[in-house]
Each structure stands twice: as C-alpha cells, then as structure tokens.
Amino acid sequence: MAKKPELLAPARDREAFLAAIAAGADAIYCGIAGGLNARRKAAGIAEDELPDLCAFAHARRARVYVTANIVVKQGELAGAIEALGRYAAAGVDAFIIQDWGLLAEVRRALPGAEIHVSTQANVHDARGVALCARLGAARVTLSRELSLAEIGAIARAERERAAREGGTPCELEVFAHGAICPSYSGVCMLSSFLREGRSPNRGLCAQPCRLPFDLVGEEGTRLQPLERERPLCTHDNCAIVDIPGLAAAGVASLKLEGRMKPATYVHAVVAAWRSGLDGAGLRRRDLKRSFNRGLTDAYLRGTSGNELMSYERSGNRGELVGEVVGFEPEPGFVPRDGQQVRGEALVSLTASVSRGDSLELRHPAEPTRFLVVEVPGEAGPGQELRVRVPRPMPPGCEARVTKSVALERAAAEAVAAMEAELCRGDWRDYGEGGGSEGALAERARCAGTVGSEMLPGATSWTAGADDSEALSVAATQGAVSHNSGALIGASLQGADAGDARRRAAEAKPGVSSLPLARASDGVEICALVSNADEARVLRSAGATRVYLDVSGIEASAGQVEMAHELNLVPVLDEVCREPDHTRLDPWVAAGLEVVVGNVSELALARELGVAAETRSCIPVHNVEALAQLGRLGARGVWLSPELSLAEIGELASAADAMGLDVALGISVFGRPRLMTCEHCVLQVAYGCDRNHASCRRRLQKHWLVNIDDRRLPTVTDGRGRSRVYLDEPVDLVSRAGGLVAAGVTRLLVDAVSTDVDVAEGVVSRLARGKADGFSVTESSCPGACEAGFSGLIDGGVA
C-alpha cells in the first residue's frame, strides 16, 4: 500500500517558517541569511535563530532542510563546508545541494549528513538517480518536466537497484505546487546574459522569462496574437488532484515552491495541501486565492502545450469570482481636463467575497488595462456587488479575488500562536530526555513518522526493514539518513585525495601566481559541427578536434560509422529522460569518445568504459567538482561561460596541485544556449498537432525579441523541445592567450549556432594564433559581442 508522502514547505524567513509548522508541514526547507542558496534575494533564516527553530520543528515532528543549491566557487568551498557543519550542529536534518563538488566535500567532511540533490542538478531518469544514490544522496528532487508515468518507472527502477546492491532506495521528491521555470532547471543562462550576470545557478535569477517577447519569423513580423505577449511565461504548478497517483508512484516528498513568498501564502498553501493529503478536502479555493499565475498539472499528465502557459500575464490571477455586468456614473460628477467618469461597477458574483478583499477587474480583450479595488462588504454567489471605480469598466470584465483577508487573518493568528509557544519554551521538554541523546532519538522518531500513514481510505500500514534501518542510522549517527550512501567505490575516493587537497589549499592559487604563458603545443583547436561537410571544412581550416552535435541526428548505423570514419566526437543533449535513451545511448555504446550533457549519460559512459567529456551545462566552478567528475570517468570538462578568467585560472591551478588529469575547454566563438524548454515556444503563434518531427514551421527561422530589442534565435527540435540562444556570437579569440595561460587546453568554435563560413575564418584565426604561441591578438569578428560578454569572462557572476 502507498505511504503518505512528506509535505515539504518553503520558508523565506522566520514568519514563513512558523506559518509552515502551524499549517501542518512535515518538513520545511529554507536558506540561511547571507548563505549560498538559490533564493539569495530572500531574507532567509538568521543563523542564530536556527537552533531554536530546528528544535521547535522537531518537537512538532517536522524536519528542517537547509538549501545550498547553487554552484560554489573555488574560493567559497571551504567556507561553505564550515557553515554547513554549523547548521548540522544546530539541528538541521538535511542539506539540498546542486554542486557536485560540494556534495563530495560534504560526504567527506560531514559523513553523517543527509544530502538531497537539488532539481538544479538536472536529474530526470533512473540512471541519474542511481548515480546520486551511489554518491551518497538520500534523496533526489526530480525535474518538474517529468510525467507521472516516468516518475513511477524511476521509483521502481531505484527500488530494484537498491535490492540488487543491498542498500536503501534513494527517495524521490517532486515539486507539487508553485512556480514553474520555463527552462529545465540548472541549464538556464537567460538571466546571466540579459541581466548583467544575475545567474540562476548562483541564486540571483532576475526572471526575464516572465517579461514580454515577440516571436518573429523570417519576414521580421510579430507572429503571436496581441494578447499573447509573454511566450515564455508558465502557469503555476498544482498537483493536488494527483496526490493518490504521486503516492502510488512512490514519491517520498511533495515539495511546495515559494521561498520568495510571504507567510500568508505559505500558511494557506500548506494548509490546503495538508487537508488534501489527510483526506479532509482539497480546498482549491484557498489555493486560487493565494498568489498564482493560473494552475496546471500538465507536466504530470505528460503534456507541455499551451495548457502549460500563462501567455497573457505574469502576475497573480487570483480566483475568478464573477464579472462586471454594468457601470453607473457617480451622480453629479463632472469630469474636467480629460478626467474619466468615475462611479460604481456592478459585479455579478459566482463566489463569496469578504470586506477588505482585493478585487481585480480586467477585460479579457484588454489584459494590460485593469483596476484593483477593495471589496466594501460581504457578498455571496448570485448577488450583485457594487464597487467604486475611477473609470468606467465595460461589461464582461472578469472579477478576481487576488488578496483574501480571511487567509491573511488565519496566517497572522497562526504565526502569533507559534511565536507565543516558541517564546514560552514549554515545548523544550517534549522528547528531549534531558540530553542530546534524547534529542537525536526525537529526530529519529520524527523521521519515522513522515510518510508512515496511509492515504485516506487505506486500512493498515506496517513498518518495513528499510524504516527500521533508517531509524537506527539516525540514532547512531546523529543525522537522519535514509540512505547511508555507499560511494561508487574506493577508486572514486583516491588514496592520496587528502594530501592532494592539502597541497591545493596550501598553494592558494590565483591568476597572479600563474606563469605568463603556458605551452601552447598541447592546445587543441576544436570545432562543433552538425554534419560531415562542416567537419571537413573546419578540419581543413585548422581544427584538430571536431565534435558532432547529435541533437537532430538519430544514432543509426550509418551515422555512427560516419562519426567513426571522420573521427568525430558526439555531443549529447542536456536532457536525458527515459524516452531519450533510445536516441542517445547508442552514441555512447558505439565506443566513440563522447561529450555528455547530463550525469545520466556520464554514468552510462563510465559503465561501458567509454572516454567522456562533460558539457558546460554540468557546471564546474571548484576543483572538487572537477575531481568528482574525474572520478566518474570524465577526461575533459567544458567550462561554463559564467566563470571569470580569474576563476578559470584558480580552478586550473588547484587542479594541477591535486594532480588531476582532466582537460579544460571553453567555447571561444558561438552563441551560448540560454534555455532548453520542454514546451515548444512556437505554439504561442501556431497550432500544434503534437507531430513535432514532421512540423514544417519548426524548420523555419524564428527569434524571440525582448523589450531591449535583442533577437534571440529560437529553435525547436523533432521532439518539440525549444532552445533559445544568445542574439550575437560571443567572440573570445582575442582572449585565447589569456585563456591558455590560465590553463585552458581546448578552444571551441561553434559552427552549429553560427555560420560555417564565419566559423571557418575563426578557426583559421585560432590556428594562426596557436602557431604564434598566442602572443599576437586579433580583433574580434565583426558583429560578435566580446564587449557584451566581457563582464562575465572578466568578472564572472556574483
């Protein structure tokens, strides 16, 4: 029988934390003020408050998870480990981590800590989950894009793996409610490039995807209807009706998004989900009267069409409660100097409203013109409500409650009650047992209750061996760990890893300590192509290593043979869901060297003994991440364009000090891929029959043009996934000497996102530069954007 999943609530601050506990959350996830986490703009929990809040949560049988879910720079790693150690001592139950280097260091420095792999790590198949489990993760937060069937298949595969290997299955966590990013998490750089280095991978996303864009075609004209001005803006997720299916699929935790949301939102949403999980009713009205952009469960149902999108608006939609049926001008009012007639709008109600509620009036044909008024008194369905308005509102305007005084009052009272109880301190006697052993036992009991109840309508539940083992681990290690996390083997640790790490720390490398130039003899001029003809052209121009983008190529016998004959290295997708295996896995199994964009394919390459490199969408910002990927079989790493030149030099020097034999590469010419969307962006303008492979429109050229008039090329593949690219090529050829001096040995020219004729000239420039030892710099290619990119290569991201 299915266990009841954990209800995991967000907390941006102390007030939201207490609101989540009051509403019945089984666990709370939060960032620490000033810490490294994916919501660095949120206030966070003050570190000195953490011990009391953790103890208070444990007394109420709730767990506490702290987010460390961003990429960590080389200079931040030691401080991050020290901070996580303090948080663990304060009573935190688990850490949510994106960075592969931070994960490895936490396993080494805090062996009793429970690790949850963040959705930012871009894991979305059973192979990726198994890799995380073997690296010591107790839980993986899956990508939002997965269907219920995929989630169930992953859970079954993970249980089978754990049974074969004699371990505990890695838990699966899914986002069940709240905002959805249009891009796969962890691979988006839209904000980094369009908003001056505000990186999603560093917790500073400016959400430019929510802003207006025009989809334009080859003729240069806007293609979408006028009201559909936000082609990248999604509805919010709401899977409350899918609770039975999620539990049956084997989901351990239902995560509610909202670490930027206030306590009122947290209390209302957690309470509604608590009611749904406990079989006391779904309370969808409370969810609709909390902030939402419209609610959808499209991904869980296996779709990603227009039903997923909020094209017309990016703000709160609230709950539809009626419509305007008339307008009465204010008696005796005479407008002057262009004033509009004021008066009363007559609203026919289909749902109850309360005095003080905020009521939005907006006509569907005029989505950008609206008013927000205050409800003057109580009224119910079938009644006519009169509200004062400063201008006439035409019949047909939708009336929506966007703020509920009842929900605000309930949250305020609940938080006040929690604050009073917290201050009294009588909860401290609960389960403490007079010492730390009692506290640890309480934490173990707390962990054991989560998920131990049956869903409504079930009759019985019996604890299994896995649960007993988990409680034993918690009691003996002092940290609840449902998966003690056998690492992939001694070979992954490295006998001299500790000595090498100390040598790297003592070196304290920086750009100033680098030699003026490194030998350029070992530098490879690389090119990325989409076909054999381009490969021949760029090899003739001087490319010594050629990569084949296989995103639009099936791994047929002929294609694989062509790659073999031309000595091409296949470059695989950043998305590797279970249905993608039939297209991607044969490239790995063919025995070629391969570049992987997802840890799932890296795991397969290691299993098959295939030499692999990792794409920049598997970010490496510290030497431990580089070492971790090296232990997993990576022989080369392509660096993120979010790294600064100084950070690249620091990383390379630390790698040298550790004796890591992993080549570092970076793209020096081409358009970076900014987003990968499961939703086809072209649907904002065109109808779709879901037959993406035969769609002729996707073969035409399209651009997304933003409010700054930047034209971002947008390409949809045969599976209906859209990818958005930077408007101009980045040209760092004149920086090649500095990059080589910093330790980069592979310089890539991307002919796929640009033009092969231009790429041919760039490869020739690089070849000449290499012959001169990169002592001579050449000007950038006309039309390229070195200046626009230099803020990242020189300064990196914050």
Side-chain angles (χ1 to χ4, degrees):
M1 302 293 289
K3 293 181 183 179
K4 184 185 296 185
E6 167 192 85
L7 181 59
L8 177 56
R12 75 174 187 181
D13 52 24
R14 176 191 177 98
E15 189 178 12
F17 189 103
L18 296 177
I21 292 177
D26 295 314
I28 301 102
Y29 67 104
C30 57
I32 305 302
L36 299 174
N37 69 87
R39 294 293 184 272
R40 288 165 64 190
K41 291 290 186 180
I45 302 297
E47 187 174 345
D48 60 0
E49 293 182 331
L50 192 59
D52 273 355
L53 289 177
C54 286
F56 186 62
H58 295 154
R60 285 188 161 258
R61 297 184 178 274
R63 306 180 78 209
V64 180
Y65 311 145
V66 162
T67 55
N69 52 343
I70 62 172
V71 293
V72 180
K73 297 182 180 182
Q74 177 66 21
E76 298 169 337
L77 193 57
I81 291 296
E82 182 182 351
L84 295 188
R86 296 195 306 270
Y87 306 157
V92 168
D93 297 286
F95 300 115
I96 304 173
I97 293 174
Q98 171 190 3
D99 190 286
W100 300 105
L102 181 61
L103 188 154
E105 280 295 272
V106 170
R107 291 298 299 163
R108 181 189 65 82
L110 305 170
E114 180 174 322
I115 297 171
H116 299 176
V117 172
S118 168
T119 192
Q120 287 288 118
N122 200 27
V123 176
H124 29 59
D125 69 351
R127 205 159 51 206
V129 170
L131 175 67
C132 293
R134 290 165 181 155
L135 289 175
R139 179 183 293 181
V140 171
T141 309
L142 296 172
S143 293
R144 292 171 173 86
E145 290 81 359
L146 300 187
S147 70
L148 195 57
E150 286 176 281
I151 293 169
I154 292 170
R156 289 192 297 275
E158 175 58 15
R159 289 194 298 269
E160 293 168 0
R161 179 206 64 80
R164 287 194 307 271
E165 298 178 7
T168 303
C170 188
E171 294 180 344
L172 302 182
E173 178 177 287
V174 300
F175 276 95
H177 192 94
I180 306 172
C181 294
S183 174
Y184 276 88
S185 294
V187 301
C188 181
M189 293 191 295
L190 190 71
S191 179
S192 300
F193 279 88
L194 299 190
R195 289 296 178 265
E196 298 180 348
R198 289 185 56 179
S199 169
N201 277 320
R202 294 283 295 167
L204 293 172
C205 182
Q207 298 188 11
C209 54
R210 300 288 183 190
L211 298 176
F213 287 83
D214 287 341
L215 181 71
V216 302
E218 295 175 358
E219 301 300 320
T221 57
R222 175 186 166 119
L223 298 174
Q224 78 259 41
L226 181 64
E227 67 275 10
R228 291 185 169 188
E229 66 172 1
R230 301 172 192 269
L232 295 176
C233 186
T234 56
H235 286 312
D236 286 355
N237 190 19
C238 181
I240 198 165
V241 298
D242 304 296
I243 287 174
L246 288 163
V251 171
S253 179
L254 300 175
K255 190 170 196 171
L256 312 180
E257 183 275 338
R259 281 202 300 119
M260 298 294 287
K261 303 291 201 309
T264 298
Y265 174 91
V266 172
H267 185 267
V269 171
V270 172
W273 272 84
R274 182 77 275 159
S275 178
L277 274 165
D278 294 345
L282 295 184
R283 294 170 60 174
R284 297 195 69 176
R285 170 161 294 173
D286 288 356
L287 297 179
K288 291 180 179 179
R289 294 195 178 192
S290 303
F291 182 96
N292 73 89
R293 300 179 180 91
L295 301 175
T296 182
D297 63 349
Y299 279 144
L300 277 181
R301 297 184 181 276
T303 66
S304 59
N306 287 339
E307 68 279 3
L308 180 72
M309 307 306 293
S310 181
Y311 292 136
E312 299 82 8
R313 56 197 295 190
S314 61
N316 184 15
R317 288 175 178 255
E319 182 195 15
L320 181 64
V321 296
E323 69 173 41
V324 173
V325 294
F327 171 78
E328 293 184 359
E330 180 180 313
F333 176 75
V334 179
R336 297 178 181 178
D337 300 327
Q339 280 183 307
Q340 297 196 62
V341 176
R342 66 191 185 203
E344 289 186 329
L346 309 181
V347 181
S348 176
L349 293 173
T350 56
S352 299
V353 294
S354 299
R355 180 182 181 86
D357 285 352
S358 291
L359 194 67
E360 178 196 271
L361 306 179
R362 185 189 305 241
H363 199 283
E366 297 180 308
T368 61
R369 284 173 54 82
F370 64 94
L371 292 176
V372 177
V373 297
E374 187 174 294
V375 174
E378 308 293 320
Q383 292 184 298
E384 194 171 89
L385 179 72
R386 291 173 172 264
V387 294
R388 292 184 59 81
V389 291
R391 61 179 171 84
M393 299 303 294
C397 284
E398 295 178 339
R400 295 175 175 271
V401 170
T402 55
K403 186 188 76 172
S404 165
V405 294
L407 294 181
E408 287 191 338
R409 187 181 306 115
E413 291 173 353
V415 170
M418 291 292 99
E419 284 282 12
E421 184 177 341
L422 184 60
C423 291
R424 283 198 307 272
D426 51 7
W427 51 270
R428 293 182 181 278
D429 297 330
Y430 180 80
E432 286 287 313
S436 60
E437 291 183 1
L440 292 177
E442 173 52 27
R443 289 174 66 188
R445 285 195 297 274
C446 200
T449 60
V450 172
S452 62
E453 300 176 54
M454 296 300 295
L455 289 173
T459 56
S460 64
W461 178 83
T462 304
D466 288 350
D467 305 281
S468 300
E469 180 184 356
L471 296 183
S472 174
V473 169
T476 57
Q477 291 187 352
V480 179
S481 178
H482 297 290
N483 184 340
S484 57
L487 295 177
I488 294 183
S491 62
L492 292 184
Q493 294 287 354
D496 60 346
D499 291 338
R501 193 175 290 109
R502 282 190 293 275
R503 290 197 303 273
E506 291 166 359
K508 295 181 180 179
V511 170
S512 60
S513 66
L514 293 173
L516 292 178
R518 298 188 182 210
S520 60
D521 294 343
V523 175
E524 296 183 88
I525 310 301
C526 306
L528 177 65
V529 302
S530 58
N531 56 59
D533 290 339
E534 292 176 352
R536 295 186 183 96
V537 168
L538 297 185
R539 189 163 272 143
S540 296
T544 57
R545 189 172 179 83
V546 182
Y547 295 87
L548 177 67
D549 178 6
V550 303
S551 59
I553 302 175
E554 297 297 327
S556 65
Q559 293 290 349
V560 171
E561 183 179 353
M562 178 269 292
H564 268 294
E565 288 179 354
L566 296 179
N567 195 26
L568 305 181
V569 182
V571 178
L572 307 187
D573 296 7
E574 63 275 28
V575 177
C576 185
R577 293 163 63 169
E578 297 285 347
D580 294 305
H581 288 186
T582 55
R583 182 177 56 86
L584 298 178
D585 288 5
W587 289 107
V588 182
L592 299 162
E593 292 184 77
V594 66
V595 183
V596 300
N598 189 279
V599 292
S600 170
E601 295 292 348
L602 181 60
L604 178 63
R606 186 176 187 277
E607 177 186 336
L608 299 179
V610 173
E613 302 168 25
T614 60
R615 285 177 47 194
S616 62
C617 50
I618 303 178
V620 173
H621 287 236
N622 59 75
V623 74
E624 287 301 332
L626 185 64
Q628 181 78 293
L629 294 177
R631 291 190 289 265
L632 292 172
R635 294 294 170 261
V637 164
W638 290 93
L639 298 174
S640 169
E642 294 185 335
L643 284 166
S644 71
L645 185 60
E647 289 165 347
I648 292 171
E650 187 177 17
L651 180 62
S653 291
D656 284 348
M658 288 183 65
L660 297 179
D661 185 19
V662 181
L664 301 181
I666 195 166
S667 176
V668 294
F669 186 88
R671 289 184 174 89
R673 186 177 295 173
L674 304 184
M675 302 180 77
T676 299
C677 310
E678 188 63 26
H679 167 75
C680 172
V681 176
L682 306 185
Q683 292 181 66
V684 73
Y686 306 121
C688 180
D689 61 4
R690 304 294 191 269
N691 191 2
H692 305 295
S694 62
C695 176
R696 294 183 178 180
R697 290 191 176 101
R698 72 176 183 83
L699 301 180
Q700 301 168 3
K701 292 183 178 180
H702 292 89
W703 293 264
L704 285 173
V705 182
N706 76 344
I707 57 177
D708 300 319
D709 203 32
R710 300 187 68 168
R711 294 167 57 90
L712 310 179
T714 302
V715 180
T716 296
D717 66 20
R719 290 157 296 285
R721 288 181 188 137
S722 288
R723 292 172 171 85
V724 181
Y725 294 83
L726 191 62
D727 49 342
E728 296 178 323
V730 166
D731 185 352
L732 298 177
V733 173
S734 63
R735 306 293 190 93
L739 291 166
V740 171
V744 173
T745 58
R746 290 175 180 168
L747 305 173
L748 179 73
V749 177
D750 178 1
V752 175
S753 68
T754 55
D755 181 87
V756 68
D757 293 332
V758 175
E760 181 182 12
V762 176
V763 169
S764 297
R765 288 166 57 202
L766 280 172
R768 290 195 298 272
K770 179 182 177 181
D772 294 333
F774 294 108
S775 59
V776 178
T777 59
E778 300 185 39
S779 61
S780 297
C781 182
C785 63
E786 179 181 2
F789 182 69
S790 62
L792 292 186
I793 194 68
D794 288 340
V797 293

